[in-house]
Amino acid sequence: MTTNPVNKNTYLQDAVVDGVLRELMDIRAEMIAETLACQLRIDQVRGNNRDSARNLLHYLALRRRDLRPLQLKLAALGLSSLGRAESHVLATIDAVLEVLHRLTGQAWMPPAQESTVVDFAAGERLLADHSDCLLGAAANGRGVRIMVTMPSEAAEDYSLIHNLLEQGMDCMRINCAHDDSVAWAQMIAHLQQAERALSRTCRVVMDLAGPKLRTGPLDPRLAVLRIRPTHDDHGRLSAPARVWLTAESQQTAPHSPANASLLLPAEWLSRLFLGEQLKFTDARGAKRNLTVVDITEQGYWAEATQSAYIVPGTVFNHERKVAHADDRQATINLLPQAENAILLKQDDLLILTRDLAPGRPATYDSSGQLLTPAMIGCSIPEIFDDVRAGEPIWFDDGKIGGVIDRVEFAQVMVRITHVRPRGEKLRGDKGINLPESRLRMGALTPKDIEDLAFVVENADVIELSFANTAADVELLHEHMARLGDRRPAIVLKIETRRAFENLPTMLLAAMRAPCCGVMIARGDLAVECGFERLAEVQEEILWICEAAHVPVIWATQVLETLAKEGMPSRAEITDAAMGDRAECVMINKGPHVLSAVRVLDDILRRMQQHQAKKRAMLRELRLAHTLTIQQPVIDECTLTDIII
């Protein structure tokens, strides 16, 4: 007896549908059980955030299993593969279940006490409402807001803030790691003035500095000032070095660029005349001279046609003779101290010290053998109690990597494992990351607690730096409560591996406030999680936050080359376009920040027509009209070749 292929296919199809239906029912049961088990957490969340908290818990339950085989089966049946379920998880599951029940001839009605609260429209509306609450209303034609970090000069330069607001800035960010409350107040006053002038509004966002781990100072090098003229490829002089001469007692800056500046006695300078040759012997014993080319009320310009090295004690002589020999001479007493650096190479040993005594490079004997390893201090010595041998350590945004070799009370020995082949220079005040160490550092430092009084009174949004646990968020709530009834919104800066791992619990703690958000601080996060994992990590943060209906700020190095140098790289333009996945994109300060805001505004407006979160927006595609529908004329031979 032969089997009818049609009946066999129908049987297989029914089996697939039944299997998918059972699996989805199991997933749904797990989601409901999750919310029941976490009811206490939900009750602690602010009332307007409870539906979002349930949706977050539903999403976490959904993502605890590998959904890829199920997704393929759903796609083959022509059903939703759950790829856009973040903001309305239970509604998505129920919609698919309803279709599957109909395919099997069964009735489907979810229990009344489990009825879907966050449906498809409500999920998107909640995220939009929370974004408006945190970041202000979106600009016309651009749903993603633009945040700009203020430079110190914004306290003095009203026009900078006015122009930024005019170009499209939606949030003004003040980093409390820099300047002081006087400067912050002036920046805010400038913003309020610009808002009135332009009839626009802008959120004030203040970033608490947090416990930033940094390297300590280094011993300065002996100050040496090099005067170097410009030569062409053949070694011929193409431009002399421009040297600014100014009085020790009343220093003035030159009005145009100088290759070097020298401080000399005012009375000695007053005797200079145009064309005079100032003679001196440099640090190498070479006889050199400077030619005076201009005399102004502020200072004197001289030119050098040969390279020279100036150190404290270098003596300059007038060309012409005067009555007393002492009047002909002037001595350089002061030069700016040069910044020191430690050159580290593969397998070098670096000593990280508990105190902040100035560090120094390694020393070697006459045969090149190591005498004393390089050493440098650490800004937060308490971490020495938490680190262990074998744990990785990174310096300067991941430029230098090492492994902790040994831990002692006063110092930690680090073996360098990751540097460029020619080595890398480590300087003072550079970041330190310990991604696998369980550091017992709170997110709020004494300075942060002191700054909070001003921040709570003046900011619309507080950014909590280096928040790693729900306890850090709760501590911020407590300090804010002690400062009065005003409640700025809270943004959690996710910049460590530990913060990423604790994101769900931190979100539930932050949702006790009426309004909260998350910043993906991609600089430290890349070092903590590994550069190769950054794309994956930021995707996961976007998914989790969308499930909680929490706005996301996309930050760190967005259009950085454009903001600093005036010309963007191709890669950062693509990166800025990906920021459309978030609710806000942050640009850091730079000389060309106005151009960066203008370009970002244009990119985000264009991308809005093509993408909303993970969903492609299929607007009319102009490229689809470029193909001419016309039969080509081909001969019989060509047609035969095509058929073959």
Side-chain angles (χ1 to χ4, degrees), residues 360-488:
R360 57 182 178 81
T363 57
Y364 299 87
D365 64 17
S366 57
S367 64
Q369 296 298 309
L370 179 69
L371 291 173
T372 307
M375 59 178 59
I376 198 165
C378 173
S379 62
I380 305 180
E382 290 80 9
I383 62 131
F384 281 51
D385 301 327
D386 299 328
V387 298
R388 301 289 181 268
E391 293 175 342
I393 182 170
W394 295 89
F395 300 92
D396 195 5
D397 291 333
K399 293 185 179 70
I400 300 167
V403 173
I404 295 174
D405 221 22
R406 191 169 72 251
V407 180
E408 300 175 358
F409 174 77
Q411 60 188 25
V412 170
M413 318 295 278
V414 176
R415 183 69 60 182
I416 301 303
T417 58
H418 291 83
V419 286
R420 289 186 290 184
R422 65 175 181 270
E424 199 75 53
K425 289 182 178 180
L426 178 62
R427 293 180 167 82
D429 199 36
K430 296 300 179 182
I432 303 174
N433 291 89
L434 292 152
E436 294 182 14
S437 303
R438 306 302 289 182
L439 305 180
R440 292 171 292 178
M441 292 191 307
L444 292 173
T445 66
K447 179 185 183 302
D448 295 330
I449 295 170
E450 181 181 341
D451 291 342
L452 262 178
F454 179 93
V455 173
V456 168
E457 182 65 29
N458 294 278
D460 299 304
V461 180
I462 297 176
E463 291 181 345
L464 182 61
S465 299
F466 297 99
N468 288 314
T469 65
D472 290 331
V473 185
E474 290 162 1
L475 185 61
L476 177 60
H477 283 309
E478 292 173 11
H479 281 293
M480 289 171 64
R482 281 199 288 268
L483 290 169
D485 296 331
R486 195 170 188 273
R487 289 289 184 277

Side-chain angles (χ1 to χ4, degrees), residues 31-76:
M31 289 163 54
I32 298 301
E34 180 77 7
T35 54
L36 292 174
C38 297
Q39 189 58 49
L40 180 59
R41 286 181 181 269
I42 296 171
D43 292 341
Q44 292 174 334
V45 165
R46 189 89 170 196
N48 64 315
N49 289 325
R50 284 179 187 164
D51 289 342
S52 299
R54 290 189 190 92
N55 192 70
L56 171 61
L57 293 168
H58 291 160
Y59 186 71
L60 296 174
L62 176 71
R63 295 303 303 270
R64 287 200 184 108
R65 59 172 71 197
D66 186 352
L67 296 170
R68 288 173 294 180
L70 176 61
Q71 285 184 297
L72 292 174
K73 294 173 188 176
L74 287 168

Side-chain angles (χ1 to χ4, degrees), residues 127-160:
L127 180 55
D129 290 345
H130 294 167
S131 299
D132 288 347
C133 175
L134 180 73
L135 305 164
N140 185 30
R142 170 169 55 79
V144 179
R145 285 75 167 174
I146 296 175
M147 180 183 295
V148 184
T149 301
M150 292 297 103
S152 296
E153 52 266 29
E156 305 296 331
D157 187 358
Y158 162 74
S159 64
L160 173 62

Side-chain angles (χ1 to χ4, degrees), residues 265 452 488 552 564 614 637:
L452 262 178
V552 172
K564 290 185 175 179
K614 291 193 295 181
C637 178

